[in-house]
Amino acid sequence: MAGGASVVPPPDDPPSLTRRVLALAVPALGALVAEPLFVLIDTAMVGHLGTESLAGLALGSTVLQTIVGVFVFLAYSTTALAAQALGAGRRDRAVRSGIEAMWLAAGLGLVAAAALMAAGPALVRALGAGPGVAPAALDYIRASSPGLVGMFVVLAGTGTLRGLLDTRTPLVVAAGGAALNVAANAVLIFGADLGVAGSGAGTALAQTLMAAAYIRVVARGARGLGVPLRPSMGGMWRAMLDGAPLFVRTVALRVALLATVSTAAAIGVQALAAHQIVNSLWNLTALVLDALAIAAQALVGYALGAGDPGRLRDLVRRLAVWGAGAGAVLGVLVGAASPWLPALFGDDPGMRGIASAALLVAAVCLPLGGVVFLLDGVLIGASQGRFLAGAGLVTLIAYLPALGGITAWVRSRPDEGGALAPADQTTAMILLWAAFAGLFMGARGLCNAWRTWWSPRHALANSAGRAPAA
């Protein structure tokens, strides 16, 4: 794969580790950024069709992205399996695990596409779409649903190549897919006059061709190693079992994020607008930290497969320092820019003041977030999906009462003309972001650190030398 080049084991000296992390993380970051960029361009195109079309795109794309986000385990679990097999010197087994995952992804994509087509009208109604917005949202969902097969295969193909310590090919595929998506949307939205449906069809086309590119790369590597391309029920079942716990974890995270947005909405309109700004910037920093976590997944999985616990412990320690350091740098940048960043998103002085205060809280918590993201990657690379699923449910249970307390405090405060006073909205948003970035992320960090280093069956002591079954 990736030209069939041999893979050098993760090095022991810090300068070499730095080069290895950057070699994996920088292309991974580029691939992560490519999709949000073409979504932004897509949004700009649809925006010229009118407000109702843009609102329909917002609802339809939210549904689509939520479904894809829930199935992101197809990438994460495949990365761990492929990296562990590669570390054990079984490149053929690594490629085989990717093939099984891609077959599973195609099957799940077919089921998800059929379900979304059938449930689309009910979902749009549940999201509160008005009579002018609902048709546009449904047009987008119906046109983009067939692309779920390609989207899921892309997830599995990306995970396969990451596990093979190749993040450059996913960058090329993502960049090419983004460019194709922009061109296809321009033709279908304006040239063919399909409107919002053209946006959905362009997305489906781009994702399907991206999936074809991954299939070609993986198939070429499989032929070179004599690995069969046909699926096996046993292999697909193993891929499903490996990914199921990460599916549960992702659902728990989605519930936490939705509950956070709901709490912000209960505070007030200015607070909700401020939350959108802070959350968008938090997600932007998360892309950088996610790229490091992807490098951690691949390197830890490789080290486990190689069966070298000593090197693994040193690798994880240094990766945690990387996470904290990256979070600290991002925190300083966000904190320094917090007084003026909200001005880029609106002129309301009340909203800008609330957003600036919440950004400071987020900035203070970013070093913690960096460690959490890195240890997520470590545990995924160590195939600790069951623990992550349980920890996700535990941290969600610990977090929801805090949100309930904030909501109760908001309801107890006097309002001014039906809205909470700006000072109280600011206080509530500070509490909300302290709960999310401090309590929720802190609970995740404690769980991850306990499983990584301190538990009786911690990841570094009990996973070394394990590789996927043939």
Side-chain angles (χ1 to χ4, degrees):
M1 209 87 52
S6 60
V7 178
V8 179
D12 293 320
D13 59 289
S16 296
L17 176 62
T18 299
R19 287 194 296 271
R20 176 53 55 89
V21 170
L22 291 177
L24 291 172
V26 172
L29 177 61
L32 290 171
V33 169
E35 188 156 347
L37 283 178
F38 83 62
V39 169
L40 186 63
I41 296 171
D42 193 13
T43 301
M45 289 184 184
V46 174
H48 289 287
L49 300 177
T51 302
E52 290 183 339
S53 294
L54 186 58
L57 173 66
L59 285 180
S61 63
T62 296
V63 171
L64 191 74
Q65 290 167 12
T66 298
I67 293 172
V68 175
V70 167
F71 283 89
V72 74
F73 72 86
L74 290 166
Y76 289 165
S77 61
T78 308
T79 296
L81 291 173
Q84 289 176 25
L86 186 67
R90 294 297 306 271
R91 190 178 186 87
D92 58 333
R93 190 179 291 171
V95 173
R96 182 61 184 169
S97 69
I99 291 171
E100 301 286 10
M102 292 170 79
W103 276 106
L104 173 64
L108 291 175
L110 284 171
V111 173
L116 182 57
M117 290 285 285
L123 287 171
V124 169
R125 285 195 300 271
L127 290 170
V133 174
L138 280 174
D139 284 347
Y140 182 86
I141 287 174
R142 287 167 178 159
S144 62
S145 291
L148 281 171
V149 178
M151 294 176 198
F152 285 14
V153 172
V154 166
L155 289 174
T158 301
T160 301
L161 295 185
R162 287 174 181 170
L164 293 167
L165 304 188
D166 174 13
T167 55
R168 293 184 181 180
T169 301
L171 171 60
V172 172
V173 174
L180 174 63
N181 189 81
V182 170
N185 283 1
V187 171
L188 295 172
I189 293 172
F190 302 114
D193 199 25
L194 294 179
V196 178
S199 172
T203 296
L205 174 64
Q207 293 287 344
T208 300
L209 292 177
M210 288 169 65
Y214 276 113
I215 291 170
R216 181 174 182 273
V217 171
V218 173
R220 184 176 63 219
R223 284 194 297 269
L225 295 167
V227 176
L229 297 177
R230 63 182 181 276
S232 70
M233 290 305 298
M236 292 175 65
W237 180 246
R238 282 195 300 271
M240 175 70 82
L241 290 179
D242 280 315
L246 293 177
F247 174 83
V248 173
R249 168 185 176 269
T250 302
V251 170
L253 289 175
R254 291 281 172 177
V255 170
L257 294 174
L258 289 173
T260 304
V261 173
S262 177
T263 303
I267 296 171
V269 174
Q270 287 178 317
L272 182 58
H275 176 77
Q276 175 63 20
I277 294 170
V278 181
N279 191 56
S280 297
L281 292 170
W282 177 273
N283 289 337
L284 182 62
T285 63
L287 290 177
V288 178
L289 300 175
D290 265 343
L292 292 173
I294 287 167
Q297 289 175 33
L299 292 174
V300 168
Y302 186 99
L304 286 172
D308 190 345
R311 185 174 64 193
L312 176 63
R313 291 188 186 93
D314 185 53
L315 171 66
V316 171
R317 178 183 60 79
R318 284 194 248 149
L319 285 172
V321 172
W322 266 83
V329 171
L330 291 169
V332 169
L333 293 175
V334 170
S338 62
W340 59 266
L341 270 176
L344 300 176
F345 299 90
D347 298 326
D348 183 344
M351 178 275 292
R352 288 160 57 175
I354 296 169
S356 292
L359 276 173
L360 283 174
V361 177
V364 169
C365 296
L366 271 171
L368 169 64
V371 175
V372 171
F373 279 103
L374 255 292
L375 293 185
D376 275 345
V378 167
L379 293 175
I380 291 171
S383 295
Q384 296 286 318
R386 290 185 182 180
F387 171 79
L388 286 169
L393 295 174
V394 169
T395 53
L396 177 63
I397 292 170
Y399 179 52
L400 292 180
L403 296 183
I406 294 169
T407 302
W409 181 84
V410 167
R411 289 174 178 168
S412 72
R413 303 298 295 171
D415 56 46
E416 299 176 355
L420 202 63
D424 283 340
Q425 290 196 45
T426 300
T427 301
M429 277 294 290
I430 289 173
L431 292 173
L432 178 61
W433 272 89
F436 175 74
L439 174 63
F440 181 62
M441 296 297 289
R444 288 176 60 188
L446 285 174
C447 289
N448 286 357
W450 180 78
R451 188 61 169 185
T452 301
W453 289 295
W454 307 321
S455 78
R457 299 184 60 190
H458 63 82
L460 306 189
N462 293 282
S463 300
R466 209 174 52 180

